[in-house]
Amino acid sequence: MSIENISNNKCFGGWHKQYRHRSSTLNCEMRFAVFLPPQINTGVKVPALYWLSGLTCTDENVMQKSGIQRVAAELGIAIIAPDTSPRGGDVANDDSYDLGQGAGFYVNASQAPWNRHFHMYDYIVKELPEIIEQHFPISEQRAISGHSMGGHGALTIALKNPERYSSVSAFSPISSPVNCPWGQKAFTAYLGAEQADWKAYDSCELINNATRFVPALVDQGNDDQFLIEQLKPQLLDAAAKAKNYPLQLNYHDGYDHSYYFIASFIESHLRFHAEHLSPSVN
């Protein structure tokens, strides 16, 4: 698999780099960003945190707004930030912000016209890690995190693949997409009208059926404008408590849905993941 480097920026002794490549999974050209911590200069392979962004976002949001690089450089963790959907002139799209390009929801679409390109689940779980581990000094130790739609993606991907991820975290995740307007709209388009098929991408349903647990951390702002209608963290909390699932859910007064919230607590998420990665990561 060939990749093309399109930008390089030194940051906290490491490097932020952007790449593009042709994705066989998504049938289009894709872009992703990587932060490589300074520890790679010692010749060791470092673990990776995959960050999944939310609706309308790209690989740039977390790298430019969260301040994630400072603590990642200290801990020796690479950050991998993919785009949020397939892109391009021949890729299906919609006029609304919550469907189509920029709104992949990290599922494998089964319905036309979306099923030609929208296989973000397979891209994140399979193709992208293969590319990362082939081209960079990054080990097979992985954690995953995300925000909003990306928080939904991180939780569902970790829950469906507990052997692949040491830990999972999320900011303001769409906790139960089968029970909110964003999820219902996207799942109807991508997966069809049969709601039984939606449950394979719903964190609460996956927790209910979990047999192997991945340690989970979720932070939610109490002043989030999407809290009640779209995010519904109480459903995630109830599912975790019923299953005795290792979920730490924190609420924060005054914080909203923005990257100001993420920047305020990103350090605690990185340190949480470091505790569950290799003992050499600290």
Side-chain angles (χ1 to χ4, degrees):
M1 302 178 187
S2 62
I3 60 175
E4 178 187 357
N5 181 220
I6 55 177
S7 76
N8 297 279
N9 303 94
K10 193 162 188 179
C11 186
F12 290 101
W15 287 93
H16 166 267
K17 298 172 179 281
Q18 284 180 309
Y19 291 85
R20 59 174 163 239
H21 72 104
R22 180 74 187 179
S23 168
S24 60
T25 301
L26 304 177
N27 297 307
C28 66
E29 187 174 88
M30 289 294 286
R31 189 177 73 187
F32 65 86
V34 179
F35 173 71
L36 298 171
Q39 287 82 354
I40 65 167
N41 297 325
T42 66
V44 301
K45 289 187 175 182
V46 298
L49 173 67
Y50 286 76
W51 175 271
L52 308 185
S53 289
L55 290 165
T56 75
C57 292
T58 69
D59 64 285
E60 294 184 337
N61 295 75
V62 68
M63 294 301 198
Q64 295 180 3
K65 296 179 178 180
S66 71
I68 198 170
Q69 296 93 340
R70 178 183 63 83
V71 181
E74 174 194 333
L75 297 174
I77 299 174
I79 308 299
I80 315 300
D83 203 346
T84 52
S85 79
R87 305 273 183 177
D90 65 340
V91 175
N93 203 6
D94 190 89
D95 290 337
S96 58
Y97 74 96
D98 54 357
L99 188 67
Q101 295 186 37
F105 267 83
Y106 306 101
V107 303
N108 287 337
S110 60
Q111 305 298 302
W114 312 103
N115 56 352
R116 182 165 178 256
H117 297 284
F118 280 71
H119 295 274
M120 285 298 293
Y121 175 86
D122 279 351
Y123 179 70
I124 299 299
V125 174
K126 299 175 183 178
E127 184 178 16
L128 185 59
E130 289 177 2
I131 292 170
I132 295 300
E133 290 158 21
Q134 175 185 347
H135 290 278
F136 303 99
I138 292 175
S139 72
E140 294 183 358
Q141 290 188 84
R142 309 176 196 96
I144 191 165
S145 186
H147 172 231
S148 193
M149 177 186 72
H152 141 75
L155 289 168
T156 56
I157 285 171
L159 287 163
K160 289 165 73 72
N161 302 273
E163 74 287 351
R164 293 181 65 86
Y165 301 96
S166 62
S167 51
V168 58
S169 72
F171 289 88
S172 316
I174 303 172
S175 294
S176 184
V178 304
N179 289 301
C180 77
W182 277 341
Q184 291 163 356
K185 178 179 179 178
F187 284 9
T188 299
Y190 298 146
L191 305 174
E194 180 53 64
Q195 294 191 16
D197 296 333
W198 302 2
K199 294 181 179 180
Y201 297 103
D202 185 279
S203 297
C204 295
E205 292 289 338
L206 292 168
I207 286 177
N208 289 339
N209 297 304
T211 58
R212 180 174 173 181
F213 295 170
V214 179
L217 169 66
V218 171
D219 279 288
Q220 174 64 60
N222 283 328
D223 283 17
D224 191 314
Q225 62 269 42
F226 304 113
L227 176 62
I228 295 174
E229 183 181 25
Q230 303 284 8
L231 305 181
K232 301 182 185 294
Q234 73 277 7
L235 299 181
L236 188 70
D237 189 37
K241 287 177 177 175
K243 192 72 175 184
N244 198 25
Y245 196 95
L247 167 68
Q248 179 183 344
L249 174 57
N250 305 315
Y251 290 94
H252 303 275
D253 289 340
Y255 288 93
D256 58 18
H257 200 70
S258 71
Y259 265 83
Y260 295 108
F261 173 48
I262 296 170
S264 299
F265 297 98
I266 193 68
E267 179 170 353
S268 65
H269 280 239
L270 284 167
R271 296 196 185 281
F272 165 79
H273 290 296
E275 291 177 0
H276 298 284
L277 290 165
S278 166
S280 64
V281 179
N282 53 55

